[in-house]
């Protein structure tokens, strides 16, 4: 079922919990070869599938300001662990004017916790800096998913992808 709506499954083992994780993305393409977004109602029953531990919605997009580009990710802040973000220097962003940023983005922009980061025409307070060890992830800014929907012009019923974690005792190919 899940594989049929996914472009592909990426599998990685989390050493601490032995959970298998994968992304679900829409395999149909819009213009310029970019995947189209998923509708949330198509994903409502994920938690009822035997073997699924947790799932977390995310949206993602790039904004261009002059010659600079920045990746913006919107996530369910209370589920950052599902997305692999377990260590944050500072705190999670919970307000509409708050953001957490990757270590590489912080270095590129010369930013620290408490500074402001301008995204489009709005200033966001940096409440935390995270590091995943993955270059593209560590160059992103993460907003609460509702705020990111506004910034990236996503409809309330759309997501870019869903990260799913499988219970350790289940085989990913059988879920």
């Amino acid at each position: 079922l899940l594989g049929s709506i996914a472009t592909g499954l990426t599998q990685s083992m989390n050493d601490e919990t032995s959970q298998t994780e994968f992304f679900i993305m829409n395999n149909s393409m819009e213009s310029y070869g970019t995947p189209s977004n998923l509708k949330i109602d198509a994903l409502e029953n994920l938690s009822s599938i035997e073997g699924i531990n947790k799932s977390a919605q995310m949206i993602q997009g790039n904004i261009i300001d002059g010659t600079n580009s920045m990746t913006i990710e919107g996530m369910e802040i209370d589920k950052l662990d599902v997305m692999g973000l377990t260590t944050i220097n500072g705190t999670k962003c919970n307000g509409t004017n708050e953001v957490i940023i990757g270590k590489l983005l912080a270095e590129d922009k010369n930013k620290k916790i408490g500074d402001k980061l301008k995204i489009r025409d709005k200033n966001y307070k940096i409440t935390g800096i995270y590091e995943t060890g993955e270059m593209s992830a560590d160059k992103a800014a993460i907003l609460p998913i509702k705020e990111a929907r506004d910034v990236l012009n996503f409809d309330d019923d759309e997501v870019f992808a869903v990260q799913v974690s499988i219970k350790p005792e289940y085989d990913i190919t059988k879920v």
Side-chain angles (χ1 to χ4, degrees):
L1 169 69
L2 297 179
S4 66
I5 63 171
T7 306
L9 301 179
T10 56
Q11 180 176 328
S12 65
M13 295 303 291
N14 180 331
D15 293 334
E16 295 175 18
T17 62
S18 297
Q19 293 176 339
T20 303
E21 301 168 345
F22 61 89
F23 274 101
I24 298 173
M25 296 174 67
N26 194 337
N27 64 356
S28 64
M29 296 291 177
E30 291 184 346
S31 60
Y32 307 108
T34 58
S36 58
N37 297 324
L38 296 167
K39 294 292 185 183
I40 293 173
D41 60 355
L43 306 167
E44 286 179 352
N45 296 324
L46 275 179
S47 61
S48 67
I49 297 173
E50 186 177 350
I52 290 186
N53 185 33
K54 294 184 197 176
S55 65
Q57 301 173 8
M58 74 171 288
I59 63 173
Q60 183 180 52
N62 290 314
I63 60 169
I64 299 171
D65 181 17
T67 59
N68 297 318
S69 173
M70 183 175 14
T71 299
I72 304 295
E73 295 180 350
M75 296 185 185
E76 296 175 275
I77 299 302
D78 60 331
K79 296 182 179 180
L80 289 176
D81 61 323
V82 179
M83 305 304 287
L85 292 175
T86 55
T87 305
I88 299 172
N89 182 11
T91 61
K92 297 176 184 176
C93 53
N94 291 312
T96 56
N97 296 317
E98 298 177 343
V99 64
I100 60 175
I101 63 174
K103 181 181 178 187
L104 296 176
L105 180 61
E107 290 171 358
D108 288 349
K109 301 267 186 199
N110 196 25
K111 298 289 185 182
K112 61 186 183 310
I113 295 170
D115 287 350
K116 300 285 186 186
L117 178 68
K118 188 172 184 176
I119 301 174
R120 303 240 184 220
D121 292 327
K122 190 172 179 181
N123 285 314
Y124 292 84
K125 180 181 177 185
I126 299 169
T127 61
I129 297 174
Y130 65 88
E131 182 176 14
T132 66
E134 184 183 317
M135 187 169 33
S136 62
D138 290 344
K139 287 187 172 187
I142 297 175
L143 294 168
I145 196 164
K146 183 177 177 5
E147 182 78 10
R149 279 192 171 104
D150 292 337
V151 171
L152 297 172
N153 299 317
F154 272 70
D155 291 337
D156 288 344
D157 65 344
E158 290 182 316
V159 294
F160 176 77
V162 176
Q163 175 85 12
V164 179
S165 70
I166 303 298
K167 293 177 182 174
E169 65 272 18
Y170 283 82
D171 180 346
I172 190 171
T173 62
K174 294 187 168 78
V175 174

